Amino acid sequence: MKTPQKLKNQSAIVTGADSGIGKAVAIALAEAGAKVLINYAHNQDAADEVVNTIKDAGGKAFAYQCDVSKENEVKAMFAAAIKKYGTVDILVNNAGLQKDAKFVDMTLEQWNTVININLTGQFLCSREAAKEFIKRGVVEKRSVAAGKIICMSSVHEIIPWAGHVNYAASKGGISMFMKSIAQELAPHRIRVAGIAPGAIQTPINKPAWETPEAMDKLLELIPYNRIGQPADVGKLAAWLASDDSDYITGTTIFVDGGMSLYPGFADNG
Ligand code: NAD
C-alpha cells in the first residue's frame, strides 16, 4: 500500500542523511511527499545513492555537503534548500557521532568533536530553521504549523553511559535544548520534538551487533528482544513531521523496544 502523502508540497532538510537512521528518515519523509535535502559530511556517493532511491520511487531530493558544526556551512545549506524548494518546512537534526574513551583518558578534542557535532550542530540548524519558519508563518494548504523541528537524541539522554560521557552529555543536552526551544517557538506555531532511539542497527554501533555473541549480549538490554531498524525511526519521524501529531511539542518519544525500562529489574532486580 502506498504511504499517504501527508507531507505533500513540503520541503525538508535531514542532516546526516547518507547513512543509517538519517537515510531511513529521508526516505520516509520523501515517501510521505516531502522534497528532501540529503545532507552529508563526507560521503557523496552514499548521499547520491539516497537521492537516487528517492527519485526512483518518484520523489524529489538533492544531496548537499555541510558540516553541521560549522556556522557558515549551515547557513549556506539553508540558503541552498530555500533557493531550490522556496522554503523549508521540516528540519530533522540527525547528524551525530561517537568518540569513545574512558573518562580519564578522554581528550579535549574527543569531547569537543562530539559536543560540536551532536549538540552545537542541532543549535545551528534549528536556529536557521526557526528564522525561516517565523519569517514565512503558516501556509495552510501545506501544514497547520509554521514548521517542525525533530531532534535526534538517544536513550542516553536519560541512561548514563560509562566510556561515552561526551556522547551521553550531548544527548542529555539535546533533551533540554529541544524543550527550551519548543517553549520559545510554540507561539509561532513551530513544533519541536525529540526522538530517542535505543539500539538501531546502523554503522554507528556495528560492534554491538556484528557477531552473534555481541547481538545476544545486546538483546539482554532490549525487552522486546530485537534490534531496532532504521525504518522504525523513519516512520516515527514522518509522523512527527505531519499534522497528525499537531498537538505534540516539547516532548521526546522513545523508540527503543523497552531499553529505557530498566530491563535489569525484569527478574526481580
Ligand atoms: P550513522 O553513523 O550511520 O550516521 C551518522 C550520520 O551523521 C552520518 O550520515 C554522518 O555522515 C553524519 N555526520 C557525522 N558528522 C557530521 C557532520 N559534522 N556534519 C554532518 N553530518 C555528520 O549512525 P546512525 O545510527 O544513523 O546515527 C544517526 C543519529 O541517531 C545520531 O545522532 C545518533 O547519535 C543517533 N542514535 C543512533 C542510535 C543507534 O543505535 N544507531 C541510537 C540512538 C541515537
Side-chain angles (χ1 to χ4, degrees):
M1 201 175 74
K2 229 173 158 299
T3 315
Q5 297 265 290
K6 296 202 168 173
L7 304 178
K8 198 166 188 284
N9 298 324
Q10 297 189 51
S11 64
I13 292 178
V14 181
T15 65
D18 60 300
S19 175
I21 292 173
K23 173 178 173 177
V25 167
I27 290 171
L29 297 186
E31 279 175 354
K35 299 164 272 191
V36 189
L37 181 153
I38 305 297
N39 161 249
Y40 67 98
H42 309 292
N43 192 343
Q44 181 167 2
D45 288 347
D48 287 342
E49 229 181 273
V50 180
V51 169
N52 290 336
T53 302
I54 290 174
K55 286 187 171 167
D56 289 348
K60 291 199 170 82
F62 75 106
Y64 189 91
Q65 183 175 25
C66 158
D67 176 342
V68 295
S69 68
K70 302 269 163 50
E71 186 174 30
N72 56 343
E73 293 187 25
V74 168
K75 285 184 178 209
M77 174 169 72
F78 274 79
I82 291 165
K83 187 165 177 225
K84 180 102 176 159
Y85 295 137
T87 187
V88 176
D89 301 280
I90 299 156
L91 166 67
V92 183
N93 283 314
N94 167 76
L97 45 61
Q98 292 178 212
K99 296 276 176 201
D100 307 328
K102 273 175 71 176
F103 178 54
V104 291
D105 298 329
M106 187 170 283
T107 63
L108 179 59
E109 197 196 350
Q110 286 171 320
W111 172 268
N112 281 340
T113 301
V114 170
I115 297 296
N116 286 345
I117 293 171
N118 293 15
L119 185 57
T120 308
Q122 295 213 7
F123 158 67
L124 291 171
C125 292
S126 302
R127 191 183 55 178
E128 293 314 302
K131 284 195 275 192
E132 173 64 12
F133 298 163
I134 291 168
K135 194 170 81 182
R136 168 180 35 76
V138 175
V139 180
E140 293 235 340
K141 63 181 185 331
R142 287 210 302 270
S143 172
V144 295
K148 282 86 54 162
I149 298 173
I150 296 169
C151 300
M152 202 58 70
S153 179
S154 161
V155 288
H156 295 295
E157 76 168 45
I158 57 164
I159 300 178
W161 204 13
H164 310 256
V165 295
N166 46 2
Y167 184 82
S170 75
K171 298 300 186 181
I174 286 168
S175 167
M176 202 42 86
F177 166 76
M178 181 279 295
K179 288 182 193 183
S180 300
I181 65 169
Q183 189 187 60
E184 189 166 336
L185 297 174
H188 298 283
R189 292 193 78 92
I190 295 168
R191 291 194 297 112
V192 189
I195 294 179
I200 310 295
Q201 197 163 19
T202 76
I204 207 174
N205 56 3
K206 200 165 175 215
W209 52 259
E210 67 182 339
T211 64
E213 297 74 37
M215 183 66 101
D216 283 348
K217 194 157 174 278
L218 178 66
L219 290 179
E220 286 173 16
L221 298 174
I222 309 173
Y224 203 62
N225 209 32
R226 75 163 171 89
I227 191 167
Q229 294 305 320
D232 291 318
V233 185
K235 284 181 268 195
L236 173 58
W239 180 72
L240 280 173
S242 80
D243 286 349
D244 285 348
S245 60
D246 186 54
Y247 211 47
I248 292 178
T249 193
T251 197
T252 295
I253 299 184
F254 284 69
V255 49
D256 70 350
M259 187 179 248
S260 51
L261 297 175
Y262 298 95
F265 283 80
D267 195 19
N268 221 6

Short mmCIF file of all heavy atoms in Angstrom, two decimals, residues 15-23 39-43 66-69 93-98 117-118 122 152-156 167 171 174 195-205, ligand 1:
data_model
loop_
_atom_site.label_atom_id
_atom_site.label_comp_id
_atom_site.label_asym_id
_atom_site.label_seq_id
_atom_site.Cartn_x
_atom_site.Cartn_y
_atom_site.Cartn_z
N THR A 15 19.75 16.10 8.31
CA THR A 15 21.21 16.10 8.42
C THR A 15 21.72 14.67 8.62
O THR A 15 21.02 13.81 9.18
CB THR A 15 21.69 17.01 9.58
OG1 THR A 15 21.24 16.47 10.83
CG2 THR A 15 21.16 18.42 9.41
N GLY A 16 22.91 14.42 8.12
CA GLY A 16 23.48 13.06 8.19
C GLY A 16 22.58 12.05 7.53
O GLY A 16 22.33 10.96 8.05
N ALA A 17 22.10 12.40 6.33
CA ALA A 17 21.08 11.56 5.67
C ALA A 17 21.68 10.56 4.69
O ALA A 17 20.94 9.91 3.97
CB ALA A 17 20.06 12.46 4.95
N ASP A 18 23.00 10.42 4.70
CA ASP A 18 23.63 9.47 3.77
C ASP A 18 23.83 8.10 4.39
O ASP A 18 24.36 7.19 3.76
CB ASP A 18 24.98 10.02 3.29
CG ASP A 18 25.94 10.25 4.45
OD1 ASP A 18 25.59 11.05 5.35
OD2 ASP A 18 27.01 9.63 4.49
N SER A 19 23.38 7.92 5.62
CA SER A 19 23.65 6.64 6.31
C SER A 19 22.58 6.37 7.36
O SER A 19 21.90 7.30 7.83
CB SER A 19 25.03 6.76 6.97
OG SER A 19 25.34 5.62 7.75
N GLY A 20 22.44 5.11 7.72
CA GLY A 20 21.69 4.70 8.91
C GLY A 20 20.32 5.32 9.09
O GLY A 20 19.46 5.28 8.20
N ILE A 21 20.12 5.90 10.26
CA ILE A 21 18.81 6.45 10.62
C ILE A 21 18.44 7.63 9.73
O ILE A 21 17.29 7.73 9.27
CB ILE A 21 18.83 6.88 12.12
CG1 ILE A 21 18.93 5.64 13.02
CG2 ILE A 21 17.59 7.69 12.46
CD1 ILE A 21 19.11 5.94 14.50
N GLY A 22 19.40 8.52 9.46
CA GLY A 22 19.09 9.70 8.64
C GLY A 22 18.61 9.32 7.26
O GLY A 22 17.69 9.93 6.70
N LYS A 23 19.24 8.29 6.69
CA LYS A 23 18.83 7.80 5.37
C LYS A 23 17.38 7.30 5.42
O LYS A 23 16.56 7.65 4.56
CB LYS A 23 19.79 6.67 4.98
CG LYS A 23 19.46 5.92 3.73
CD LYS A 23 20.55 4.88 3.49
CE LYS A 23 20.21 3.96 2.34
NZ LYS A 23 21.30 3.01 2.07
N ASN A 39 21.55 15.90 3.49
CA ASN A 39 22.83 16.44 3.94
C ASN A 39 23.83 15.30 4.22
O ASN A 39 23.46 14.28 4.77
CB ASN A 39 22.63 17.27 5.22
CG ASN A 39 23.94 17.47 5.99
OD1 ASN A 39 24.11 16.92 7.09
ND2 ASN A 39 24.88 18.18 5.41
N TYR A 40 25.07 15.55 3.81
CA TYR A 40 26.13 14.59 4.15
C TYR A 40 27.38 15.38 4.52
O TYR A 40 27.53 16.55 4.14
CB TYR A 40 26.41 13.64 2.97
CG TYR A 40 27.00 14.32 1.75
CD1 TYR A 40 28.39 14.29 1.51
CD2 TYR A 40 26.20 15.01 0.85
CE1 TYR A 40 28.94 14.93 0.42
CE2 TYR A 40 26.75 15.66 -0.25
CZ TYR A 40 28.11 15.61 -0.46
OH TYR A 40 28.66 16.26 -1.55
N ALA A 41 28.26 14.71 5.28
CA ALA A 41 29.50 15.37 5.69
C ALA A 41 30.63 15.07 4.71
O ALA A 41 31.34 15.98 4.27
CB ALA A 41 29.89 14.93 7.10
N HIS A 42 30.81 13.77 4.35
CA HIS A 42 31.95 13.40 3.51
C HIS A 42 31.60 12.48 2.36
O HIS A 42 32.23 12.54 1.31
CB HIS A 42 33.02 12.67 4.37
CG HIS A 42 33.39 13.41 5.60
ND1 HIS A 42 34.07 14.62 5.57
CD2 HIS A 42 33.17 13.14 6.91
CE1 HIS A 42 34.25 15.05 6.81
NE2 HIS A 42 33.71 14.18 7.64
N ASN A 43 30.60 11.62 2.55
CA ASN A 43 30.41 10.52 1.61
C ASN A 43 29.38 10.87 0.52
O ASN A 43 28.19 10.53 0.61
CB ASN A 43 29.98 9.26 2.39
CG ASN A 43 30.05 8.01 1.55
OD1 ASN A 43 30.10 8.06 0.31
ND2 ASN A 43 30.03 6.87 2.20
N CYS A 66 27.68 19.49 3.97
CA CYS A 66 27.79 20.52 5.00
C CYS A 66 28.17 19.87 6.30
O CYS A 66 27.61 18.84 6.68
CB CYS A 66 26.44 21.24 5.14
SG CYS A 66 26.16 22.08 6.70
N ASP A 67 29.14 20.45 6.98
CA ASP A 67 29.49 20.03 8.33
C ASP A 67 28.57 20.81 9.28
O ASP A 67 28.68 22.04 9.36
CB ASP A 67 30.97 20.35 8.58
CG ASP A 67 31.42 20.04 10.00
OD1 ASP A 67 30.55 19.90 10.90
OD2 ASP A 67 32.65 19.94 10.22
N VAL A 68 27.68 20.12 9.97
CA VAL A 68 26.67 20.83 10.78
C VAL A 68 27.26 21.61 11.95
O VAL A 68 26.56 22.41 12.56
CB VAL A 68 25.57 19.86 11.31
CG1 VAL A 68 24.76 19.26 10.19
CG2 VAL A 68 26.16 18.78 12.22
N SER A 69 28.54 21.38 12.25
CA SER A 69 29.14 22.14 13.35
C SER A 69 29.75 23.46 12.88
O SER A 69 30.30 24.21 13.68
CB SER A 69 30.19 21.29 14.07
OG SER A 69 31.30 21.06 13.22
N ASN A 93 17.22 17.12 12.73
CA ASN A 93 18.59 17.20 13.24
C ASN A 93 19.04 15.79 13.59
O ASN A 93 18.82 15.32 14.71
CB ASN A 93 18.59 18.01 14.55
CG ASN A 93 18.50 19.49 14.34
OD1 ASN A 93 19.18 20.06 13.50
ND2 ASN A 93 17.64 20.14 15.11
N ASN A 94 19.67 15.13 12.63
CA ASN A 94 20.01 13.72 12.86
C ASN A 94 21.52 13.48 12.99
O ASN A 94 21.93 12.54 13.65
CB ASN A 94 19.44 12.88 11.70
CG ASN A 94 20.01 11.48 11.70
OD1 ASN A 94 19.63 10.64 12.51
ND2 ASN A 94 20.97 11.23 10.81
N ALA A 95 22.33 14.32 12.34
CA ALA A 95 23.78 14.06 12.30
C ALA A 95 24.34 13.85 13.71
O ALA A 95 24.01 14.59 14.64
CB ALA A 95 24.51 15.21 11.63
N GLY A 96 25.18 12.85 13.84
CA GLY A 96 25.79 12.62 15.15
C GLY A 96 26.87 11.57 15.05
O GLY A 96 26.92 10.80 14.09
N LEU A 97 27.75 11.55 16.04
CA LEU A 97 28.81 10.52 16.07
C LEU A 97 29.24 10.24 17.49
O LEU A 97 28.79 10.89 18.44
CB LEU A 97 30.00 10.93 15.20
CG LEU A 97 30.56 12.35 15.26
CD1 LEU A 97 31.08 12.73 16.64
CD2 LEU A 97 31.69 12.53 14.27
N GLN A 98 30.10 9.25 17.62
CA GLN A 98 30.68 8.89 18.91
C GLN A 98 32.20 9.00 18.82
O GLN A 98 32.77 8.68 17.77
CB GLN A 98 30.33 7.44 19.28
CG GLN A 98 28.87 7.22 19.57
CD GLN A 98 28.55 5.75 19.88
OE1 GLN A 98 27.46 5.30 19.57
NE2 GLN A 98 29.47 5.02 20.49
N ILE A 117 29.38 18.55 17.09
CA ILE A 117 28.54 17.98 16.03
C ILE A 117 27.17 17.60 16.59
O ILE A 117 26.13 17.98 16.03
CB ILE A 117 29.25 16.77 15.37
CG1 ILE A 117 30.48 17.29 14.61
CG2 ILE A 117 28.30 16.02 14.44
CD1 ILE A 117 31.41 16.22 14.08
N ASN A 118 27.13 16.88 17.70
CA ASN A 118 25.85 16.36 18.19
C ASN A 118 24.95 17.44 18.78
O ASN A 118 23.73 17.36 18.65
CB ASN A 118 26.08 15.29 19.27
CG ASN A 118 26.75 14.04 18.73
OD1 ASN A 118 27.29 14.04 17.64
ND2 ASN A 118 26.73 12.97 19.50
N GLN A 122 22.94 20.87 16.22
CA GLN A 122 21.47 20.98 16.32
C GLN A 122 21.07 22.44 16.60
O GLN A 122 20.05 22.92 16.10
CB GLN A 122 20.93 20.05 17.40
CG GLN A 122 21.16 18.58 17.07
CD GLN A 122 20.07 17.65 17.57
OE1 GLN A 122 19.03 18.08 18.07
NE2 GLN A 122 20.28 16.36 17.42
N MET A 152 17.19 14.40 16.90
CA MET A 152 17.56 13.00 17.17
C MET A 152 18.37 12.97 18.45
O MET A 152 19.48 13.50 18.51
CB MET A 152 18.35 12.43 15.99
CG MET A 152 18.31 10.92 15.91
SD MET A 152 16.62 10.26 15.78
CE MET A 152 16.18 10.78 14.13
N SER A 153 17.80 12.37 19.44
CA SER A 153 18.50 12.21 20.70
C SER A 153 18.94 10.76 20.82
O SER A 153 19.40 10.17 19.85
CB SER A 153 17.56 12.67 21.83
OG SER A 153 18.19 12.52 23.06
N SER A 154 18.72 10.16 21.98
CA SER A 154 19.12 8.77 22.21
C SER A 154 18.56 8.37 23.57
O SER A 154 18.27 9.24 24.41
CB SER A 154 20.65 8.68 22.24
OG SER A 154 21.06 7.49 22.88
N VAL A 155 18.45 7.05 23.80
CA VAL A 155 18.11 6.63 25.17
C VAL A 155 19.14 7.20 26.16
O VAL A 155 18.85 7.34 27.34
CB VAL A 155 18.05 5.09 25.33
CG1 VAL A 155 16.82 4.51 24.66
CG2 VAL A 155 19.32 4.42 24.82
N HIS A 156 20.33 7.55 25.65
CA HIS A 156 21.36 8.10 26.54
C HIS A 156 21.12 9.56 26.90
O HIS A 156 21.96 10.18 27.51
CB HIS A 156 22.76 7.86 25.95
CG HIS A 156 23.06 6.40 25.88
ND1 HIS A 156 23.18 5.63 27.01
CD2 HIS A 156 23.16 5.55 24.83
CE1 HIS A 156 23.37 4.36 26.65
NE2 HIS A 156 23.36 4.29 25.34
N TYR A 167 29.24 11.64 24.55
CA TYR A 167 28.02 11.31 23.80
C TYR A 167 26.79 11.48 24.70
O TYR A 167 25.81 12.13 24.32
CB TYR A 167 28.12 9.87 23.28
CG TYR A 167 26.97 9.44 22.41
CD1 TYR A 167 26.93 9.77 21.05
CD2 TYR A 167 25.91 8.70 22.93
CE1 TYR A 167 25.88 9.35 20.25
CE2 TYR A 167 24.85 8.29 22.12
CZ TYR A 167 24.85 8.61 20.78
OH TYR A 167 23.81 8.21 19.98
N LYS A 171 23.61 14.15 24.34
CA LYS A 171 22.20 13.75 24.20
C LYS A 171 21.36 14.30 25.36
O LYS A 171 20.22 14.70 25.16
CB LYS A 171 22.08 12.23 24.09
CG LYS A 171 22.78 11.65 22.86
CD LYS A 171 22.22 12.21 21.54
CE LYS A 171 22.80 11.53 20.32
NZ LYS A 171 22.30 12.05 19.05
N ILE A 174 20.67 17.72 24.39
CA ILE A 174 19.63 17.83 23.36
C ILE A 174 18.25 17.84 24.01
O ILE A 174 17.35 18.58 23.59
CB ILE A 174 19.75 16.67 22.34
CG1 ILE A 174 20.94 16.90 21.42
CG2 ILE A 174 18.46 16.52 21.51
CD1 ILE A 174 21.33 15.70 20.57
N ILE A 195 13.39 12.54 19.29
CA ILE A 195 13.28 11.09 19.12
C ILE A 195 14.47 10.47 19.85
O ILE A 195 15.62 10.88 19.63
CB ILE A 195 13.32 10.66 17.64
CG1 ILE A 195 12.09 11.19 16.89
CG2 ILE A 195 13.42 9.14 17.51
CD1 ILE A 195 12.07 10.83 15.40
N ALA A 196 14.19 9.51 20.73
CA ALA A 196 15.26 8.85 21.46
C ALA A 196 15.31 7.37 21.06
O ALA A 196 14.59 6.54 21.61
CB ALA A 196 15.04 8.98 22.97
N PRO A 197 16.14 7.06 20.07
CA PRO A 197 16.26 5.65 19.68
C PRO A 197 17.04 4.85 20.72
O PRO A 197 17.93 5.38 21.39
CB PRO A 197 17.04 5.69 18.35
CG PRO A 197 17.06 7.14 17.94
CD PRO A 197 16.95 7.93 19.20
N GLY A 198 16.72 3.56 20.79
CA GLY A 198 17.55 2.63 21.56
C GLY A 198 18.64 2.11 20.65
O GLY A 198 19.34 2.90 20.01
N ALA A 199 18.79 0.80 20.56
CA ALA A 199 19.81 0.24 19.67
C ALA A 199 19.20 0.00 18.29
O ALA A 199 18.33 -0.85 18.13
CB ALA A 199 20.34 -1.07 20.25
N ILE A 200 19.67 0.77 17.34
CA ILE A 200 19.19 0.67 15.96
C ILE A 200 20.38 0.16 15.14
O ILE A 200 21.51 0.64 15.30
CB ILE A 200 18.72 2.05 15.42
CG1 ILE A 200 17.74 2.73 16.40
CG2 ILE A 200 18.13 1.91 14.03
CD1 ILE A 200 16.42 2.05 16.61
N GLN A 201 20.11 -0.78 14.23
CA GLN A 201 21.20 -1.45 13.50
C GLN A 201 21.76 -0.53 12.41
O GLN A 201 21.22 -0.48 11.30
CB GLN A 201 20.67 -2.75 12.89
CG GLN A 201 21.75 -3.70 12.47
CD GLN A 201 21.22 -5.10 12.27
OE1 GLN A 201 20.01 -5.30 12.10
NE2 GLN A 201 22.09 -6.08 12.27
N THR A 202 22.81 0.20 12.74
CA THR A 202 23.46 1.12 11.79
C THR A 202 24.98 1.03 11.98
O THR A 202 25.44 0.42 12.95
CB THR A 202 23.03 2.60 12.04
OG1 THR A 202 23.72 3.07 13.20
CG2 THR A 202 21.53 2.74 12.21
N PRO A 203 25.75 1.70 11.11
CA PRO A 203 27.21 1.64 11.26
C PRO A 203 27.73 2.20 12.59
O PRO A 203 28.79 1.78 13.05
CB PRO A 203 27.71 2.51 10.09
CG PRO A 203 26.62 2.46 9.07
CD PRO A 203 25.33 2.36 9.85
N ILE A 204 26.96 3.10 13.23
CA ILE A 204 27.49 3.77 14.44
C ILE A 204 27.77 2.76 15.57
O ILE A 204 28.66 2.96 16.38
CB ILE A 204 26.53 4.90 14.93
CG1 ILE A 204 27.28 6.00 15.68
CG2 ILE A 204 25.43 4.37 15.81
CD1 ILE A 204 26.41 7.22 16.07
N ASN A 205 26.99 1.66 15.60
CA ASN A 205 27.11 0.72 16.72
C ASN A 205 27.38 -0.71 16.23
O ASN A 205 27.00 -1.68 16.88
CB ASN A 205 25.83 0.76 17.58
CG ASN A 205 24.59 0.47 16.76
OD1 ASN A 205 24.69 0.20 15.56
ND2 ASN A 205 23.43 0.54 17.37
P1 NAD B 1 25.50 6.63 11.23
O1 NAD B 1 26.93 6.65 11.60
O2 NAD B 1 25.00 5.63 10.27
O3 NAD B 1 25.03 8.06 10.75
C1 NAD B 1 25.51 9.26 11.30
C2 NAD B 1 25.37 10.33 10.27
O4 NAD B 1 25.82 11.57 10.79
C3 NAD B 1 26.21 10.03 9.03
O5 NAD B 1 25.42 10.32 7.88
C4 NAD B 1 27.35 11.01 9.15
O6 NAD B 1 27.89 11.38 7.89
C5 NAD B 1 26.64 12.17 9.81
N1 NAD B 1 27.58 13.15 10.36
C6 NAD B 1 28.59 12.93 11.24
N2 NAD B 1 29.24 14.08 11.44
C7 NAD B 1 28.65 15.04 10.70
C8 NAD B 1 28.86 16.43 10.49
N3 NAD B 1 29.86 17.08 11.11
N4 NAD B 1 28.02 17.09 9.66
C9 NAD B 1 27.02 16.44 9.02
N5 NAD B 1 26.78 15.14 9.17
C10 NAD B 1 27.59 14.45 10.00
O7 NAD B 1 24.74 6.46 12.63
P2 NAD B 1 23.17 6.46 12.99
O8 NAD B 1 22.98 5.39 13.95
O9 NAD B 1 22.35 6.52 11.77
O10 NAD B 1 23.06 7.84 13.78
C11 NAD B 1 22.17 8.88 13.45
C12 NAD B 1 21.74 9.61 14.72
O11 NAD B 1 21.00 8.71 15.54
C13 NAD B 1 22.88 10.12 15.57
O12 NAD B 1 22.55 11.40 16.10
C14 NAD B 1 22.97 9.10 16.68
O13 NAD B 1 23.52 9.63 17.86
C15 NAD B 1 21.51 8.76 16.84
N6 NAD B 1 21.27 7.49 17.52
C16 NAD B 1 21.61 6.29 16.94
C17 NAD B 1 21.36 5.12 17.63
C18 NAD B 1 21.68 3.77 17.07
O14 NAD B 1 21.54 2.78 17.80
N7 NAD B 1 22.08 3.63 15.82
C19 NAD B 1 20.77 5.16 18.89
C20 NAD B 1 20.44 6.39 19.44
C21 NAD B 1 20.69 7.54 18.75
#
